[in-house]
């Protein structure tokens, strides 16, 4: 019963992670955030692999999923530090999220709740094929929306890591108990060996 409860809970956590990652992927595509897009894609693949390992009792898949969650927590911690400009990180110095291929920022910068976008005409600060805008009236700045999104990802990852370790431990204990009983071990049933010697019997004929 405990194993079933752990598996069901882990599947629910993986489902929530999948929904949150797909939602985040959509907004990162809209904002041309190529680095988060790549990270989200890898995360979606890892979550699907973790769900498959949970359903199919694959111990190694759950271990891979748990290891990935550690890296995922590290990535989202970097996102939080980036948008809060912790240390030497600065949003205005390098366009890290776009691999320095464009000047796009987070989609929430212009489309946040209550934001009013006003274009600045005849601005000399705008590069070619770009325009300068001012954003005002936002109920919540885009930095904090991105931080909140990463915090949710970290929270789900922590729960997923704990349950992945628990379920994989249950799977491993079940395999050990099965081997102890005598399933597929080297001391279990051995088939009879075939003899390589042929016994010759005398043949009598009526003469």
């Amino acid at each position: 019963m405990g194993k079933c409860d752990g598996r069901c809970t882990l599947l629910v956590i993986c489902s929530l992670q999948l929904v949150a990652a797909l939602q985040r992927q959509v907004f990162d595509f809209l904002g041309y955030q190529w680095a988060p897009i790549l990270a989200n894609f890898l995360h979606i693949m890892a979550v699907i692999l973790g769900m498959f390992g949970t359903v199919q009792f694959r111990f190694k898949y759950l271990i891979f999923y748990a290891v990935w969650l550690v890296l995922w927590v590290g990535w989202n911690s970097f996102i939080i530090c980036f948008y809060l400009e912790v240390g030497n990180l600065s949003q205005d110095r390098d366009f890290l999220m776009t691999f320095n291929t464009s000047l796009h920022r987070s989609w929430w910068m212009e489309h946040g709740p209550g934001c009013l976008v006003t274009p600045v005409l005849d601005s000399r600060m705008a590069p070619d094929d770009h325009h300068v805008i001012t954003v005002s009236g936002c109920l919540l700045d885009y930095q904090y929306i991105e931080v909140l999104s990463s915090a949710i990802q970290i929270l789900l990852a922590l729960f997923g890591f704990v349950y992945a370790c628990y379920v994989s431990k249950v799977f491993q204990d079940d395999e050990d108990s099965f081997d102890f009983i005598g399933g597929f071990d080297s001391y279990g049933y051995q088939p009879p060996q075939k003899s390589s010697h042929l016994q010759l019997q005398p043949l009598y004929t009526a003469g």
Side-chain angles (χ1 to χ4, degrees):
M1 185 66 179
K3 179 179 68 174
C4 180
D5 292 342
R7 289 177 61 209
C8 294
T9 304
L10 182 56
L11 287 175
V12 171
I13 294 174
C14 289
S15 300
L16 292 176
Q17 285 182 313
L18 199 58
V19 171
L22 290 174
Q23 172 266 335
R24 190 178 190 180
Q25 187 78 313
V26 170
F27 293 115
D28 286 337
F29 263 115
L30 293 175
Y32 301 95
Q33 304 293 290
W34 301 118
I37 288 172
L38 178 59
N40 293 333
F41 175 78
L42 296 176
H43 180 60
I44 292 172
M45 293 297 102
V47 171
I48 294 176
L49 195 62
M51 297 178 71
F52 179 79
T54 304
V55 174
Q56 297 294 327
F57 299 92
R58 300 297 180 89
F59 170 76
K60 294 182 179 180
Y61 289 174
L62 288 178
I63 295 300
F64 174 82
Y65 168 71
V67 172
W68 167 256
L69 289 182
V70 175
L71 300 177
W72 186 242
V73 169
W75 166 253
N76 283 277
S77 299
F78 167 76
I79 294 294
I80 292 176
C81 294
F82 175 79
Y83 281 105
L84 295 181
E85 297 186 343
V86 176
N88 294 326
L89 294 175
S90 175
Q91 301 179 48
D92 298 325
R93 190 182 67 176
D94 293 314
F95 294 94
L96 300 177
M97 298 304 161
T98 61
F99 292 133
N100 204 25
T101 58
S102 68
L103 299 178
H104 290 88
R105 298 293 181 90
S106 172
W107 183 82
W108 294 106
M109 181 177 182
E110 302 178 25
H111 303 87
C115 291
L116 178 61
V117 178
T118 304
V120 178
L121 302 178
D122 299 332
S123 176
R124 297 181 180 179
M125 298 176 57
D128 295 338
D129 300 328
H130 288 77
H131 61 276
V132 177
I133 61 173
T134 59
V135 181
S136 60
C138 295
L139 300 178
L140 186 63
D141 291 338
Y142 75 96
Q143 298 97 323
Y144 301 110
I145 296 178
E146 295 287 353
V147 167
L148 181 61
S149 176
S150 295
I152 293 174
Q153 295 288 341
I154 291 176
L155 183 63
L156 292 174
L158 293 177
F159 280 108
F161 178 82
V162 172
Y163 274 93
C165 294
Y166 168 71
V167 174
S168 61
K169 181 65 167 57
V170 172
F171 288 171
Q172 190 177 21
D173 291 341
D174 288 346
E175 291 180 358
D176 293 341
S177 62
F178 183 73
D179 292 339
F180 179 77
I181 294 174
F184 301 117
D185 59 351
S186 59
Y187 299 99
Y189 171 76
Q190 295 182 359
Q193 299 180 355
K194 296 182 179 181
S195 176
S196 60
H197 299 286
L198 295 178
Q199 297 181 357
L200 299 178
Q201 299 292 339
L203 178 63
Y204 298 95
T205 60

